[in-house]
Amino acid sequence: MSTEKQTPWYVETFLAIGGWIAGLLAAIAIFAMAAGLVASVGKFAPEIGAFISVMIGAGFVFFGVSMMQPDRGDFRRHFAIASTAAGLTAATAGVWFLLFSLFGGANDAAAMTVGVAGLITSALLTAAGFFIARIMRDGIFTFLITLAVYGVATAALIILRDDTGFGWRTDIYLAAPVALLGCWLFINAPQDNLSRPAGAAMLIAPMLHYAIARNAQFIFGAGADPQIWLIGEALFAAAALYCLWILRRRYAALPLLASGALVLAAIWFLPSAGAVAIIMLLSAIAANHRGFAVVSIAAVIWFISRFYYDLSMTLLEKSALMAAMGAATLFGALIFNRFQSGVGAAKSTPQRHRLLAAFGFAALLVVALTLVNRSVWRLETQFRDATEIYLPLGPRDPRSILQGDYMVLNFRNDIYPPFDAIEALPRGGEIFLKLDENNVAAFSRIPAAGDAPGPDEIRIDYVKTNSRRIRYVPQSFFFQEGEAELFQPARFAIVKVTDDGNARLTALADENRQRIGPGD
């Protein structure tokens, strides 16, 4: 029996973190000294700086590879990975710039030159990363280098996006086949093979790509060519079907078909980042890899939270989609119960009781969906024919870190009653606003009981927030991350008001009362 004491996991974790910090700080220090040395010599061509970056990066790579001895401790292992990763980053940036300069540099086709140089750089990084990974034999390094290759290639394709010679949104073509290949590699690779961390990276990278692209307003499937959307969804469906085919040995056919139908429906209807998150989870289950399953579950939860705050769909659309997914889940559960005896389970409950339980659960689900969606449907119908008015805005604040991107709307005082009159108002009630010929609103009067608005007036409900302030509509206007500059010219809030005074903030408008939004 061995008497060696195993190092506690938390000590290994701190050693690993220390190795990364030490390696990156060493890289920063070396680069800072090199930059200071070059600057002290005098003016130099940018190509010389790029060449020095390649040389220093190559030195760090050689140093990191020579340091890589996993049996010498976690600190040394992670120090070597950090040094190698820092060196490859520096060398990649230098090679990209040198290729850009070689192909012509800053000319009329600068964007195309940068993009082509980036694609060649990604190919060179693939070759160098493959060679170094074979030497280091470390899954973490393989995972990181795969992410880096995908990132460089995607960045190059995004730069080429607007060039007619390379088509429209060419980076979108990359994500779906990479996810499919990553699924295949992760499931089929042996446990200690470097293909498994590479496959995991190829599954995670497309999900991050879609999330970043969505925040940058390059929304996959929204306004894109239908062929692109169909190709992507077909590849995602193929990856899911492959996982389900692998799982056929572990689960009964009918329950697997029921859950497969739900998975395919989710992949087809949900945004693409959610589809990749689902494929990650399926791949982890098919490969029986608990660690990656935990990461995949976190990814699915992250996507659901993002989907909840996604402003590209209305609440009614989200509700209908979730209801459809719930119905599909119920259908799968019923099939599983119906054919439970097919997997060798004993029928412990009479058939009639099982049918009654299924019917009761279905009735409960229908009632819940009806109650939840009734108010949503009523509001959508009520505001369909509501009057659209404009409330003038004052200065605005840009965003909130916790809630996401939004504008704090500070309405001008001329839409409110005088401060002294507000103090006497009850906590809730209604106020009449006067509309000009452009439906721009201003305060008109506080109505008495039974008063009706005049021809140029409109009734609007208010809520008293404190003794001197009231509110007609929410004063936070949310928008997609990355669209803050788009809404900077806002001067009016577009509000729909029903006949009974219920108000909803729908959009913002510029000084000419033109609606502001993506694509406008």
Side-chain angles (χ1 to χ4, degrees):
M1 179 181 293
S2 175
T3 59
E4 293 184 5
K5 293 184 178 180
Q6 187 176 1
T7 305
W9 66 268
Y10 49 86
V11 175
E12 295 179 355
T13 301
F14 279 111
L15 289 174
I17 294 174
W20 273 93
I21 293 175
L24 296 179
L25 287 180
I28 292 173
I30 295 295
F31 279 105
M33 288 189 292
L37 178 63
V38 172
S40 64
V41 174
K43 294 182 179 180
F44 64 96
E47 290 80 3
I48 297 178
F51 180 76
I52 293 176
S53 178
V54 173
M55 292 296 100
I56 295 178
F60 262 87
V61 170
F62 179 80
F63 173 75
V65 172
S66 63
M67 284 281 294
M68 186 62 181
Q69 296 181 15
D71 57 337
R72 298 289 295 274
D74 278 334
F75 180 87
R76 180 165 182 148
R77 172 196 173 202
H78 286 276
F79 181 81
I81 296 173
S83 301
T84 307
L88 280 174
T89 302
T92 299
V95 169
W96 195 338
F97 186 84
L98 288 175
L99 289 173
F100 166 70
S101 302
L102 180 65
F103 293 153
N107 51 35
D108 294 337
M112 177 183 287
T113 306
V114 173
V116 172
L119 290 178
I120 298 176
T121 303
S122 66
L124 295 175
L125 182 61
T126 302
F130 179 79
F131 177 74
I132 297 171
R134 292 292 297 271
I135 297 176
M136 299 186 72
R137 305 295 303 175
D138 188 90
I140 294 178
F141 176 80
T142 304
F143 179 85
L144 293 175
I145 195 65
T146 305
L147 284 179
V149 169
Y150 183 92
V152 173
T154 304
L157 289 174
I158 290 175
I159 294 172
L160 289 170
R161 183 197 309 269
D162 297 326
D163 188 90
T164 56
F166 284 83
W168 186 52
R169 296 182 175 176
T170 46
D171 60 299
I172 294 300
Y173 287 106
L174 183 64
V178 166
L180 179 63
L181 178 60
C183 173
W184 185 84
L185 285 175
F186 185 80
I187 292 176
N188 289 277
Q191 187 171 359
D192 297 329
N193 192 281
L194 294 181
S195 298
R196 176 165 282 192
M202 295 171 84
L203 282 168
I204 290 176
M207 188 183 68
L208 298 177
H209 175 197
Y210 281 124
I212 295 172
R214 191 172 188 83
N215 291 334
Q217 302 182 40
F218 305 132
I219 303 176
F220 175 72
D225 291 336
Q227 294 84 354
I228 300 178
W229 182 81
L230 287 174
I231 291 172
E233 298 305 307
L235 291 178
F236 294 143
L241 289 174
Y242 180 71
C243 292
L244 294 171
W245 176 256
I246 297 297
L247 292 172
R248 77 190 188 281
R249 303 185 187 95
R250 282 187 258 164
Y251 300 96
L254 287 172
L256 195 61
L257 288 174
S259 59
L262 176 62
V263 166
L264 292 178
I267 288 175
W268 195 260
F269 290 110
L270 295 180
S272 298
V276 181
I278 292 172
I279 294 172
M280 287 173 56
L281 183 57
L282 281 175
S283 300
I285 296 173
N288 200 21
H289 194 287
R290 294 183 179 180
F292 195 60
V294 172
V295 175
S296 305
I297 291 172
V300 172
I301 295 174
W302 168 81
F303 164 75
I304 292 174
S305 65
R306 293 290 299 175
F307 178 70
Y308 177 79
Y309 289 106
D310 183 8
L311 302 181
S312 64
M313 299 177 66
T314 66
L315 182 60
L316 187 60
E317 291 172 337
K318 290 182 182 179
S319 179
L321 184 58
M322 291 295 109
M325 295 301 168
T329 304
L330 175 62
F331 179 72
L334 292 176
I335 291 181
F336 181 80
N337 287 331
R338 174 66 180 83
F339 295 97
Q340 191 174 12
S341 60
V343 294
K347 293 184 178 181
S348 59
T349 307
Q351 177 75 11
R352 182 170 58 87
H353 291 175
R354 288 204 303 271
L355 290 177
L356 286 175
F359 177 78
F361 182 77
L364 182 63
L365 180 63
V366 170
V367 171
L369 290 174
T370 302
L371 292 176
V372 170
N373 289 286
R374 178 174 175 272
S375 60
V376 177
W377 176 257
R378 181 178 59 82
L379 287 175
E380 292 286 344
T381 304
Q382 188 179 21
F383 280 97
R384 187 174 300 159
D385 300 321
T387 303
E388 195 169 80
I389 67 174
Y390 297 89
L391 298 183
L393 298 173
R396 301 165 305 283
D397 295 329
R399 69 174 304 178
S400 161
I401 295 177
L402 294 179
Q403 293 176 277
D405 281 12
Y406 76 93
M407 238 174 222
V408 176
L409 305 180
N410 186 24
F411 296 98
R412 292 216 301 255
N413 289 331
D414 56 2
I415 68 171
Y416 299 113
F419 285 153
D420 295 340
I422 293 177
E423 287 184 337
L425 290 175
R427 187 171 183 81
E430 60 183 26
I431 285 175
F432 288 173
L433 300 178
K434 183 180 290 292
L435 304 179
D436 65 10
E437 64 277 7
N438 297 315
N439 272 10
V440 177
F443 171 71
S444 178
R445 59 191 172 96
I446 299 174
D451 276 1
D456 59 347
E457 290 181 328
I458 191 169
R459 184 197 318 266
I460 188 170
D461 293 339
Y462 74 87
V463 174
K464 196 172 180 181
T465 57
N466 55 47
S467 61
R468 303 294 293 272
R469 296 192 64 84
I470 63 174
R471 185 178 66 198
Y472 300 133
V473 292
Q475 295 182 284
S476 299
F477 180 78
F478 290 84
F479 45 79
Q480 295 286 2
E481 187 174 348
E483 295 180 358
E485 294 184 1
L486 183 66
F487 292 93
Q488 288 301 318
R491 297 296 179 268
F492 293 95
I494 302 178
V495 176
K496 284 191 173 184
V497 185
T498 60
D499 293 338
D500 60 357
N502 196 2
R504 173 191 283 183
L505 174 65
T506 60
L508 300 184
D510 60 18
E511 59 183 2
N512 298 318
R513 300 180 306 283
Q514 297 297 314
R515 184 183 296 262
I516 300 174
D520 294 340

